[in-house]
Structures are given as C-alpha cells and as structure tokens.
C-alpha cells in the first residue's frame, strides 16, 4: 500500500516516485495550488498539488482542495527539493509533488483538534485520536525503547524471562486485590496479582538463579498521577545474593539503559538510610535536585513557653524541625497561609513561621514565647539570614516529616530552586514494621517477605518497633522507580514475621502454607527488586503523569472513558459465576 513512511522521506529520494499513507495534519488551498502536511507515526512531510499538463492533474488538485483535518489518504508522487526549507521537521528539505491522491477514509468533524489542549477527560474519551498526536507517539515510542533495552540487557546476562500466573490467590497484605469469581468452583475466587512476589521467590528455590519478567500487576487502590489500577513492572530476582549484589547489578543496568534510550548519564548513586532521608528531607524518596533541607531544632525549643513546640520536643516520638527558604521573606501573609493549607493536606494542624526582613527585623507569631536571644539562636541554627523565611513543624515524628517534606517540595518549586538534570540515589535500611493504630497491629513497610537486618528471632520480637529491614529503594528525581529487598529464606523467621503482623499459625497455613513448605527444602538466600516501567517511561519522556506513557489508562476515578468500563453485567452472566449483586444502598439496609 505504501513504499515509504512520511517522516522518513529525505534528500536521498529526490527524483524518485514514492507512495505514502497517512493523516492530513494541515491542508492549505491557495487557489489552484494546494499544500498538505501528511503525517504518519514517523513524522510529517509536505505534499504539493500544483498545476501541470499531466493527465488527471485537475482531479488531483480538486481532491487536495477538499481535504480536511485527519482525513486518511494515500499519495503517490515524486520527491523534490523544497524551495523554502523547514528546519523544524526532519523532512524539511524535501516535498512530494502529488500525481495521485486517494481518500481512504474521510474524517468527520473531530471532537477536538490535536493542536488544542482539550483536557484529559476528552483525550481519554477519544484516546485513538489523542494517540495520533506527535507527543503521544513520541512518549509511547520511548516506552517501547525502554522495555526493549531492559530485555536486551537482562537477556545478555543470563536472566531467564519466566511468566508467572495472572490468576492466583488473594493475600492478606498490601492493597486490595481485584477478585475474579471461579465459575468451576462456586463461592471461590482468584485474585489478580499485585506483583509476582511469591512466584519469583519460589523460582529461586527451584534453582533458576536469575529471573526477570515484564509483569502486569493489579491493585485496587486510589489513583494518582503515578498510580494506576493496572500497571507494568520489571521484576528481577537473584539467588545467592546480598544487598550490594542486587544493587550494583541493577544500578549498572539503569546507567546503561538511560544512556541507550535517551542519552543520559545518571552519574553517581549515593546511598542514604531511610532515617537520614526522613530527617533531612521528610521523605523516603527525596528529590536531591532541591537543595532545601529540614533542620531539627528540638534542643533549642525544649524549654520554651510554647507548648506546641515544647511538648513534642520532650517526646521521644515527637519532632520539631525547621525549613529555611532563602528569599522567602517576600511571601505575603496570604501566601504563607497557602503553605499552611498545603501542609494541612499532609496532617499539619498549623505551620509556624518567622520572616527576617532585609534590615534584620524578625516578624513571627511565635517569637513572643521566647527570650529574644533564644529566638535569635533558634534562627541561627537554621542558617537563616536577612530576607529569609523559616517554617516550623511540630508534632508526631512521622506526621511532621510528611508535611514538612511536602512544604519543602512546594517551596523548591515555587522559588525555582529545583536544579536541572538527574539525581539518583539508593535509600536503604527501611523500618521493618510500622504500627497501625486503627488495626492495632504492626504492618510491613515493604512486604511481609522482606528479611530483617537481625538473624535472631528473639531480637526481632523484642525490638519490633525499631527493627530495620534489608529493604532498599532506587529513587530518581524524587520518584521511587524501584523497590526491593533481601527475602526471608528460613521458615522459622517467616513464621515469626507473620506472627508479628498478626497472622496466626492457622491463617499462615491456609494462605501461605505453600511458601512455608517451600522454605523448608533448602531455600537459598535470595533477593530482588521491581521497577515501575510506567514511572521510568514517564521520566524519560519528560511528563509528570504515567497516563501519558500508557496507551489506554484509567482516569483518577478508575474508569476507561473510551470503552465505558467498568460496566454492569446481565443476570445470566452473574448467575453463571454464582454472583448476586447488592447495591451499596441494599448492603446498607441489610447491615
């Protein structure tokens, strides 16, 4: 049907006949002389329909004059050099003189123009039109190159690509499972995998040594710019390894893949413990391009008359910290209130501040609770000078870290402090558990199969609140792009961790009996990591939303607007899988 791609027509083809297929991007009728920008997935080339003595030329001009936006056409013509070069496109040195134009499919008036910004809902409703745009073509191609490069790298180093089940069993940890009724087993359900975690561990116990998989995963959770109900991750698992074995290998992989796909040198990967990351940045995925850091000031405020500061300063589980913003004294009271409202989204009950004028005068609602010299000492600890603003956060350690970390990110962006380039790092030594007040028990910070840093079960039980895991995350520009750990490889330790998570012996056997049995028969030390393909592709493509690198994503409301999914089923389909549906209203009435 075609001999060449539109975007690949170049000077080497001058004088040659070509047949091209594509969509009309722009059509211009200049009265007997028509120009058409013809687009396919490789790019755009200019087509010219001009007067000549050739038979049928009038029909060619008439067809060109009638073309509309997104008409699907085929053009046969001869390549020649352009008189006016267009340096903005790859084919800008040449054009195609049309000898025949065939309309393959006339496009009706479109709901939006590709050169407009119609809003995400419209883009997702008519995703097939949105995907035709050069930006979306580029983004999806970047994703394709990323996956291909990862496969080549791993295939070349002895990793085996092994598929694991999509229909598996529900687990009691992590996000909600998507459930699938089992028609042949009435009243029973499969679950779609949140990850291939247990299967890849069992592959290590089965002697495969090095595994990988580009895996589809599913989590029934609230959506954000970097979350989807269904997503893709690169899972990797190694046998006979410790942390640095895994980290050094995948760090090398990421360096080479980023260089191959987008020509970027990632540079040095520093290592930082979770505790240090939270202390300095209020985040376990700090963006090191932002130079702002939190400063603990509990020692300076412990004896002050301001209870909001003094009480958490005296509490081992509390925190009082400060964030200096260079030049921040220019913020108005209204703008400071906006920062307080932003912090409130992350649990802050308030956000104290101190403004230091260019003349050195201090303006702060909390200064009255301090002796003047003591407050000056407090500001000196933060490094604040004339023209600066200092925000203070006080309360429970985790909550303060969260909202002050969010304030740090906002200030870095608002004041243009975030640098260019790429800043990767490893965050290590995560807590083994965190206590869920609502559930009244510990939950795993990574997952329940992560090994603790201690070998002794007695030590782990005695120090569960402060236990450190052998987990690690790879972070890039404030995004967690990969997370992994060394796994538990002894059944006694796995059972002990389950117990600390509130999973009793009976539930262990019912839900994880196959894993506990596999651990009994010579399971080797093993570990691995999983990378978010969607997040990495979004970073490479220069977009903030992973929906821009997924062909058919869901909205933040968990819907596919194009296909109108999810949708109800008819009674016959429900009966076949032994399901009866109760609406939320009916469920409420019944309860």
């Amino acid at each position: 049907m075609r001999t060449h791609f539109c975007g690949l027509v170049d000077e080497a083809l001058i004088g040659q006949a070509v047949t091209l297929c594509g969509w009309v991007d722009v059509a211009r009728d200049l009265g007997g002389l028509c120009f058409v920008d013809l687009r396919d997935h490789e790019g755009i080339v200019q087509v010219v329909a001009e007067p000549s003595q050739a038979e049928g030329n009038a029909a060619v001009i008439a067809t060109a004059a009638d073309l509309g936006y997104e008409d699907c056409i085929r053009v046969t013509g001869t390549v020649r050099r352009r008189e006016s070069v267009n340096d903005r496109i790859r084919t800008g040195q040449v054009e195609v003189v049309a000898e025949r134009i065939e309309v393959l499919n006339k496009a009706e008036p479109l709901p939006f123009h590709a050169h407009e910004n119609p809003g995400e809902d419209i883009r997702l409703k008519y995703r097939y039109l949105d995907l035709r745009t050069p930006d979306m073509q580029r983004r999806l191609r970047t994703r394709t190159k990323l996956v291909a490069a990862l496969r080549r790298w791993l295939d070349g180093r002895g990793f085996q690509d092994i598929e694991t089940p999509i229909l598996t069993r529900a687990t009691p940890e992590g996000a909600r499972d998507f459930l699938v009724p089992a028609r042949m087993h009435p009243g029973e359900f499969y679950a779609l995998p949140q990850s291939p975690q247990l299967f890849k561990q069992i592959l290590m116990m089965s002697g495969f040594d090095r595994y990988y998989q580009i895996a589809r995963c599913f989590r029934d959770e609230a959506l954000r710019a970097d979350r989807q109900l269904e997503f893709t991750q690169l899972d990797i698992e190694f046998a006979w390894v410790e942390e640095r074995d895994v980290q050094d290998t995948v760090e090398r992989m990421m360096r080479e893949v980023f260089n191959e796909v987008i020509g970027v040198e990632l540079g040095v990967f520093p290592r930082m413990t979770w505790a240090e990351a939270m202390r300095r940045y209020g985040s376990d995925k700090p963006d090191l391009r932002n130079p702002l850091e939190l400063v603990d000031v509990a020692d300076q405020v412990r004896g002050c008359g301001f209870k909001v500061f003094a009480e958490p300063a005296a509490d081992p589980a509390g925190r009082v910290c400060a964030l200096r913003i260079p030049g921040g004294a220019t913020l108005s009271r209204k703008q400071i209130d906006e920062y307080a409202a932003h912090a409130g989204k992350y649990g802050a009950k308030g956000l104290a501040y101190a403004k230091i004028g260019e003349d050195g005068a201090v303006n702060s609602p909390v200064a009255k609770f301090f002796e003047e010299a003591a407050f000056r000492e407090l500001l000196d600890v933060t490094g604040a000078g004339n023209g600066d603003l200092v925000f203070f956060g006080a309360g429970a350690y985790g909550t303060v870290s969260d909202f002050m970390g969010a304030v740090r990110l906002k200030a870095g962006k608002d004041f243009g402090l975030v640098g260019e380039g790429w800043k990767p790092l490893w965050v290590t030594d995560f807590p083994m558990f965190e206590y869920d007040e609502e559930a009244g028990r510990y939950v795993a910070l990574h997952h329940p199969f992560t090994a603790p840093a201690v070998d002794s079960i007695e030590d782990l039980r005695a120090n569960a609140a402060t236990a450190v895991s052998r987990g690690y995350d790879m972070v890039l520009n404030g995004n967690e792009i990969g997370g992994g750990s060394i796994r538990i490889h002894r059944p006694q330790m796995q059972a002990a961790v389950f117990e600390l998570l509130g999973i009793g012996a009976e539930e262990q056997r019912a839900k994880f009996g196959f894993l506990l049995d596999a651990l009994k028969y010579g399971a080797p030390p093993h570990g691995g990591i999983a990378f978010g393909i969607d997040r990495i592709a979004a970073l490479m493509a220069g977009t903030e939303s992973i929906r821009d690198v997924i062909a058919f994503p869901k909205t933040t409301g968990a819907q596919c607007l194009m296909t109108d999914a999810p949708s109800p089923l008819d009674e016959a389909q429900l009966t076949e899988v032994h399901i009866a549906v109760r609406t939320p209203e009916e469920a409420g009435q019944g309860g």
Side-chain angles (χ1 to χ4, degrees):
M1 179 168 271
R2 64 186 173 192
T3 61
H4 297 80
F5 294 116
C6 299
L8 300 183
V9 177
D10 59 18
E11 292 172 280
L13 296 173
I14 289 176
Q16 295 185 32
V18 296
T19 298
L20 311 174
C21 294
W23 289 274
V24 174
D25 196 70
V26 176
R28 304 179 295 279
D29 180 6
L30 304 183
L33 178 64
C34 298
F35 293 91
V36 177
D37 287 349
L38 188 62
R39 185 189 72 247
D40 65 11
H41 75 288
E42 290 287 0
I44 290 175
V45 68
Q46 178 169 281
V47 174
V48 182
E50 60 185 15
S52 76
Q53 299 302 314
E55 184 178 349
N57 180 254
V60 172
I61 293 176
T63 302
D66 191 47
L67 291 175
Y69 179 57
E70 292 302 299
D71 284 350
C72 182
I73 68 173
R74 178 166 59 179
V75 173
T76 298
T78 302
V79 180
R80 73 180 180 192
R81 190 177 301 278
R82 284 181 65 157
E83 291 185 6
S84 56
V85 171
N86 182 356
D87 292 327
R88 293 174 298 176
I89 58 176
R90 184 166 49 179
T91 64
Q93 300 286 336
V94 297
E95 61 189 9
V96 177
V97 181
E99 297 163 8
R100 182 185 179 194
I101 298 177
E102 180 183 357
V103 178
L104 302 174
N105 201 342
K106 189 75 176 171
E108 295 185 4
L110 270 63
F112 69 93
H113 195 287
H115 303 293
E116 300 171 347
N117 184 13
E120 189 172 54
D121 282 359
I122 294 295
R123 290 176 55 204
L124 294 180
K125 174 70 173 177
Y126 301 96
R127 189 61 162 179
Y128 39 86
L129 298 179
D130 186 47
L131 289 173
R132 289 184 196 171
T133 62
D135 279 348
M136 289 303 299
Q137 291 278 319
R138 176 184 58 81
R139 291 164 183 162
L140 268 294
R141 185 169 293 191
T142 298
R143 181 190 179 105
T144 297
K145 291 178 180 177
L146 166 63
V147 172
L150 291 168
R151 285 191 182 280
R152 277 195 300 273
W153 200 94
L154 292 163
D155 289 342
R157 287 157 182 82
F159 288 82
Q160 294 191 66
D161 181 1
I162 302 176
E163 294 181 342
T164 55
I166 292 295
L167 296 176
T168 180
R169 67 169 299 137
T171 58
E173 294 291 326
R176 292 185 184 90
D177 288 315
F178 276 102
L179 302 177
V180 180
R183 181 182 60 82
M184 293 184 290
H185 300 274
E188 298 184 354
F189 295 82
Y190 299 105
L192 302 182
Q194 295 185 31
S195 82
Q197 183 63 44
L198 294 180
F199 290 104
K200 67 181 182 179
Q201 288 188 235
I202 288 174
L203 285 170
M204 296 304 99
M205 303 171 202
S206 305
F208 284 97
D209 197 80
R210 288 188 164 198
Y211 143 98
Y212 85 93
Q213 182 182 187
I214 306 292
R216 295 292 286 170
C217 303
F218 307 85
R219 293 180 186 173
D220 188 1
E221 59 184 355
L223 305 190
R224 300 197 299 263
D226 64 346
R227 295 267 178 97
Q228 281 280 297
L229 300 178
E230 52 182 317
F231 56 96
T232 305
Q233 65 185 37
L234 167 62
D235 264 273
I236 306 175
E237 198 78 3
F238 308 68
W240 317 103
V241 290
E242 296 181 336
E243 290 91 329
R244 286 301 293 256
D245 299 314
V246 177
Q247 293 166 11
D248 289 349
T249 299
V250 298
E251 180 179 323
R252 187 163 61 252
M253 176 185 74
M254 280 299 167
R255 288 180 194 278
E256 295 181 20
V257 167
F258 265 77
N259 193 10
E260 176 183 343
V261 177
I262 58 173
V264 162
E265 297 286 346
L266 287 182
V268 175
F269 281 63
R271 280 172 167 74
M272 182 182 300
T273 66
W274 176 90
E276 181 184 359
M278 297 303 291
R279 176 176 58 81
R280 294 173 61 186
Y281 304 108
S283 172
D284 59 5
K285 51 180 181 181
D287 187 348
L288 298 187
R289 298 173 303 165
N290 182 345
L292 300 180
E293 292 194 24
L294 306 182
V295 177
D296 284 315
V297 294
D299 290 344
Q300 286 70 36
V301 303
R302 188 168 287 115
C304 75
F306 189 38
K307 289 185 177 180
V308 173
F309 283 5
E311 291 181 356
D315 185 349
R319 184 177 194 186
V320 185
C321 68
L323 177 69
R324 166 187 168 252
I325 303 175
T330 58
L331 290 181
S332 67
R333 180 54 190 268
K334 179 182 177 182
Q335 290 171 314
I336 290 174
D337 288 344
E338 290 172 354
Y339 272 86
H342 183 69
K345 298 175 184 177
Y346 297 86
K349 295 179 180 179
L351 192 64
Y353 69 90
K355 292 173 68 170
I356 307 175
E358 293 295 347
D359 59 356
V362 176
N363 174 11
S364 173
V366 300
K368 61 187 177 183
F369 297 101
F370 293 80
E371 296 290 338
E372 182 177 352
F375 199 67
R376 283 288 183 181
E377 180 184 348
L378 171 61
L379 295 178
D380 288 344
V381 169
T382 71
N386 293 358
D388 292 347
L389 172 71
V390 179
F391 282 124
F392 297 96
Y397 193 97
T399 302
V400 171
S401 299
D402 287 345
F403 74 72
M404 289 297 284
V407 170
R408 170 184 173 268
L409 292 178
K410 177 175 169 57
K413 184 176 181 180
D414 290 349
F415 284 84
L417 300 174
V418 180
E420 298 293 329
W422 303 84
K423 291 288 186 179
L425 79 153
W426 284 106
V427 178
T428 65
D429 301 325
F430 281 78
M432 187 74 183
F433 309 110
E434 56 184 352
Y435 194 76
D436 186 327
E437 295 286 351
E438 186 175 334
R441 65 179 180 88
Y442 289 111
V443 295
L445 198 68
H446 264 85
H447 55 61
F449 318 108
T450 295
V454 296
D455 290 328
S456 166
I457 293 174
E458 291 71 26
D459 284 351
L460 179 64
R461 286 174 173 155
N463 302 288
T466 58
V468 173
S469 80
R470 299 178 71 181
Y472 38 82
D473 284 356
M474 182 184 285
V475 176
L476 182 60
N477 291 2
N479 297 271
E480 178 215 326
I481 62 170
S485 67
I486 298 301
R487 323 303 188 187
I488 298 168
H489 71 281
R490 291 186 292 124
Q492 299 86 351
M493 178 62 80
Q494 185 64 79
V497 169
F498 283 151
E499 289 172 12
L500 287 167
L501 294 172
I503 305 173
E506 186 175 339
E507 186 179 2
Q508 290 179 35
R509 288 307 311 173
K511 295 182 175 177
F512 298 105
F514 66 97
L515 173 66
L516 294 170
D517 288 343
L519 291 171
K520 294 177 182 177
Y521 299 113
H526 60 286
I529 191 167
F531 289 98
I533 295 293
D534 310 303
R535 291 182 186 178
I536 298 171
L539 284 169
M540 286 183 163
T543 180
E544 294 185 358
S545 173
I546 63 172
R547 291 189 291 274
D548 285 337
V549 292
I550 298 173
F552 302 104
K554 305 293 187 293
T555 66
T556 53
Q559 294 175 295
C560 174
L561 298 181
M562 186 183 74
T563 63
D564 200 24
S567 60
L569 298 179
D570 61 43
E571 195 62 36
Q573 289 174 293
L574 293 171
T575 300
E576 190 174 29
V577 293
H578 320 289
I579 294 290
V581 174
R582 287 193 301 168
T583 66
E585 293 78 11
E586 291 169 339
Q589 291 168 2

